[in-house]
Amino acid sequence: MCNLYRMRKATDEIAGLFRASAEPAANLGEEVYPGYPGLVVAEERVQAMTWGFPLAQTGKRGQAIKPKPINQARGDKLGTAFWRSSFQMRRCLVPFSAWAEPEGDKGAMTRTWCSLEQEDPFAVAGIWRPTVEWGKAFAVVMVDRPEPIVANHGRVPLILAREDWALWAGGDADAALGLCRPDTHRLVIDRTDAPWNAGRIAVSRS
């Protein structure tokens, strides 16, 4: 599961690390939620995109309501109609400092943060597409983890080794699909007392 992540680095730092040009972007929150903007490296540029592909919804009376952001793409479902063209033609890298998992009893869940030791940021596999509703939007690719971090959450973001960045971003689709393997990274786990549904923190970066 991944419905919240942190990205602490500024745009120019990301551009330098990923050897990409940087597009001007408004200040972005340090914590990124579905439906909110995050930094993405796509087409050799660092860009701000909305996290989640919009899924049309209707209300009880059949009226159109705000789309739902679908922000996770399972690695074993990338060939389905909803994701196929984006996976084949528009893969990207999503810089993460850490991501959060909800842990605990329903109604009293807290945030457990997961990261890599001495890697901030690290690159997570993503796909993107242009949308009418939100402009460019991206989703994070999820893979299985043999030993779940928390109960009932057996999937984690697909963390890419540096030597695989170019393959994911611009290589052959079949070869990129081969990177969607179960995760075996040694993660740094930080269990906190912060409520899972705590308010969005207004820390910004540029």
Side-chain angles (χ1 to χ4, degrees), residues 76-85:
D76 58 347
K77 299 293 185 181
L78 293 172
T80 60
F82 191 77
W83 306 114
R84 185 185 304 117
S85 63

Side-chain angles (χ1 to χ4, degrees), residues 55-68 133:
L55 179 66
Q57 298 188 103
T58 56
K60 293 180 180 179
R61 297 185 298 276
Q63 77 278 22
I65 59 176
K66 184 178 179 180
K68 176 182 179 181
E133 298 89 344

Side-chain angles (χ1 to χ4, degrees), residues 19-177:
R19 299 181 181 180
S21 60
E23 292 187 355
N27 288 345
L28 304 176
E30 181 179 292
E31 294 189 349
V32 184
Y33 299 80
Y36 282 66
L39 287 182
V40 170
V41 183
E43 300 178 321
E44 300 183 346
R45 302 196 307 276
V46 182
Q47 312 173 46
M49 298 186 187
T50 299
W51 188 21
F53 286 16
L55 179 66
Q57 298 188 103
T58 56
K60 293 180 180 179
R61 297 185 298 276
Q63 77 278 22
I65 59 176
K66 184 178 179 180
K68 176 182 179 181
I70 306 299
N71 59 301
Q72 302 173 21
R74 282 176 46 174
D76 58 347
K77 299 293 185 181
L78 293 172
T80 60
F82 191 77
W83 306 114
R84 185 185 304 117
S85 63
S86 295
F87 169 68
Q88 292 177 343
M89 298 184 290
R90 293 181 297 276
R91 297 187 299 276
C92 60
L93 306 174
V94 187
F96 273 33
S97 294
W99 80 90
E101 299 278 357
E103 190 168 17
D105 297 330
K106 186 176 181 180
M109 289 185 173
T110 55
R111 296 179 179 183
T112 292
W113 291 95
C114 309
S115 60
L116 295 184
E117 188 172 9
Q118 298 182 340
E119 285 196 53
D120 182 6
F122 51 93
V124 165
I127 56 179
W128 71 275
R129 68 175 174 87
T131 74
V132 173
E133 298 89 344
W134 302 327
K136 293 179 179 179
F138 72 99
V140 167
V141 176
M142 306 291 288
V143 293
D144 292 333
R145 184 172 174 87
E147 297 181 2
I149 301 164
V150 298
N152 302 320
H153 298 303
R155 294 191 185 93
V156 296
L158 171 55
I159 301 170
L160 296 169
R162 293 195 181 205
E163 59 267 26
D164 292 327
W165 289 0
L167 171 57
W168 181 265
D172 175 76
D174 288 339
L177 189 63

